[in-house]
Amino acid sequence: MKSEDDTAGNSGSTGSTDSTDSTVLLHVEGRTGVVTLNRPKALNSLTHPMVLRIDEALAAWAEDPAVHQVLIRGAGERGLCAGGDIRAIHDDAKAGGVASADFWRDEYRLNARIARYPKPYVALMDGIVMGGGVGISAHGTVRIVTERSRVAMPETGIGFVPDIGGTHLLSLAPGELGTHLALTAAAVGAADALLCGLADHFVPADRLPELTADLATAPAHEVLPRYGEAPPPGELAERRAWIDHCYAADTVEEIVDRLLAQGVPAAKEAAEAILAKSPTALKVTLASLRRAAALGSLEPVLAQEFRVSCHALRSPDLVEGIRARVVDKDRRPRWSPADLAEVSGADVERFFAPLGEGRELRLPEGGLSRG
């Protein structure tokens, strides 16, 4: 998602003064290290330099006794982060490059660092939080949503597969809610993000500045009780019965058949949303979720996602999906193959094949990962 604001972050001090001309602003406010994603015109979408800068700051603050907790937020009022720069991924994939794989390697390492961070990591998930935006927030220890939050893993819509530890997070959601979100790419509001385990607290958006100011002088566990409220009603709780039944099926085809047989408008809409996505991405996504549940902890799931992402980079559907959504914007992707029945088990297995010596993602297991 490129925009006019396409400058790259740079390395620099993690001291008490904001860097100028940067896509990631860093400063220490009282006891809290503050990370502000600063690409509001691009919905704060992540670039490789931004990932490296955040990782560097977190590493430094982890060892700094003056920093007791970390806060991450997005500049502007539209969202924390809309994910990675998918136009750049499109161009890299078309050119047969390796820049996207290099970006993912460092991004997934950052996700793992956040999940096992030794200090409270507070994420303001206000507005749009999608893809990579989920990766830098939902692995944290204190995850705050507002009435403006729209949280999603939208990858199947561009011929890709949920990554950034998303298959781990979604595999931990109650029942089959995670499968529903992964296959449909649906965005959810505050109540449903809480229900799915993607967030912990609801705070009205107009109270975030006050909450942020209080975090400068007190720990998050003392501040949050003064701000947390019950969220507006969601949609998924009352749909659990048919969601859990339909998405427990072994194949995407059977899931769609069960959804269509429910006689419920929302289930029919879910089936139609699934059928509009890349058939290959759908089948690989279902397999990824089921394998993530078996893997258990975050680090091996990230290693699996890295394999899948690298193989997806050479899949025609990723380039085509981004073309249809972002480049030409015709919203008419031509998937290859076009039908679920044409995607074989061997086709799916290729996405999980080893990458070869020196190319795998290696992460230490343990720490503070969820699960």
Side-chain angles (χ1 to χ4, degrees):
M1 294 182 181
K2 280 189 180 178
S3 74
E4 304 163 45
D5 181 14
D6 199 34
T7 55
N10 49 65
S11 297
S13 167
T14 59
S16 59
T17 304
D18 278 348
S19 303
T20 57
D21 238 3
S22 177
T23 53
V24 177
L25 305 179
L26 304 169
H27 74 281
V28 176
E29 187 172 343
R31 62 189 293 131
T32 302
V34 181
V35 179
T36 304
L37 307 185
N38 192 37
R39 296 184 70 207
K41 293 179 183 177
L43 279 170
N44 298 318
S45 59
L46 295 170
T47 64
H48 198 167
M50 291 171 71
V51 164
L52 294 174
R53 183 163 169 76
I54 297 167
D55 191 67
E56 178 188 23
L58 293 182
W61 285 337
E63 304 299 324
D64 187 344
V67 175
H68 296 261
Q69 58 200 6
V70 170
L71 173 74
I72 190 164
R73 62 189 181 184
E77 296 185 351
R78 297 172 65 197
L80 170 64
C81 176
D85 187 338
I86 61 173
R87 185 184 286 265
I89 293 171
H90 168 273
D91 295 346
D92 184 49
K94 280 192 73 173
V98 297
S100 297
D102 292 343
F103 167 66
W104 289 326
R105 185 183 299 275
D106 288 325
E107 183 183 25
Y108 300 176
R109 284 173 173 162
L110 173 61
N111 302 147
R113 182 188 294 280
I114 291 168
R116 59 175 180 262
Y117 203 61
K119 299 178 180 181
Y121 181 97
V122 183
L124 301 187
M125 301 172 69
D126 184 33
I128 291 174
V129 185
M130 297 185 178
V134 174
I136 58 169
S137 58
H139 293 298
T141 45
V142 182
R143 305 162 303 169
I144 298 167
V145 284
T146 76
E147 72 279 6
R148 303 188 299 200
S149 295
R150 300 298 294 166
V151 183
M153 294 300 296
E155 287 77 10
T156 55
I158 57 167
F160 196 44
V161 177
D163 65 335
I164 54 82
T167 57
H168 175 68
L169 292 166
L170 294 175
S171 73
L172 296 175
E176 294 294 334
L177 291 175
T179 312
H180 171 68
L181 296 186
L183 296 184
T184 62
V188 297
D192 290 332
L194 292 164
L195 173 64
C196 292
L198 300 173
D200 307 298
H201 306 277
F202 172 81
V203 175
D206 62 3
R207 301 202 69 192
L208 292 182
E210 186 183 356
L211 180 149
T212 300
D214 280 355
L215 287 172
T217 60
H221 73 270
E222 292 181 7
V223 171
L224 277 165
R226 300 199 295 268
Y227 292 91
E229 298 182 9
E235 299 177 345
L236 295 181
E238 63 182 24
R239 300 175 180 177
R240 276 291 303 278
W242 61 260
I243 285 176
D244 288 352
H245 167 70
C246 295
Y247 290 94
D250 292 332
T251 67
V252 179
E253 291 96 327
E254 188 179 351
I255 288 171
V256 171
D257 288 344
R258 289 187 184 187
L259 288 169
L260 292 173
Q262 289 301 299
V264 177
K268 181 175 182 289
E269 291 169 9
E272 291 170 348
I274 291 171
L275 291 172
K277 307 298 187 290
S278 157
T280 300
L282 290 168
K283 289 199 171 184
V284 176
T285 294
L286 184 61
S288 295
L289 285 169
R290 301 285 162 83
R291 295 181 188 209
L295 288 170
S297 61
L298 174 63
E299 287 81 4
V301 175
L302 284 167
Q304 172 179 276
E305 290 178 350
F306 185 73
R307 282 186 179 180
V308 171
S309 296
C310 288
H311 288 301
L313 197 61
R314 305 293 173 240
S315 164
D317 279 2
L318 179 57
V319 170
E320 175 61 13
I322 299 175
R323 178 208 66 76
R325 180 66 63 90
V326 175
V327 180
D328 297 336
K329 299 181 181 179
D330 59 20
R331 305 278 174 160
R332 298 177 63 185
R334 296 180 290 274
W335 305 122
S336 178
D339 297 311
L340 286 165
E342 298 177 55
V343 183
S344 69
D347 293 332
V348 172
E349 284 301 317
R350 278 194 282 272
F351 283 79
F352 298 91
L355 298 172
E357 188 65 32
R359 296 180 58 205
E360 303 283 358
L361 177 65
R362 303 293 182 192
L363 293 168
E365 289 194 44
L368 302 179
S369 63
R370 293 176 181 272

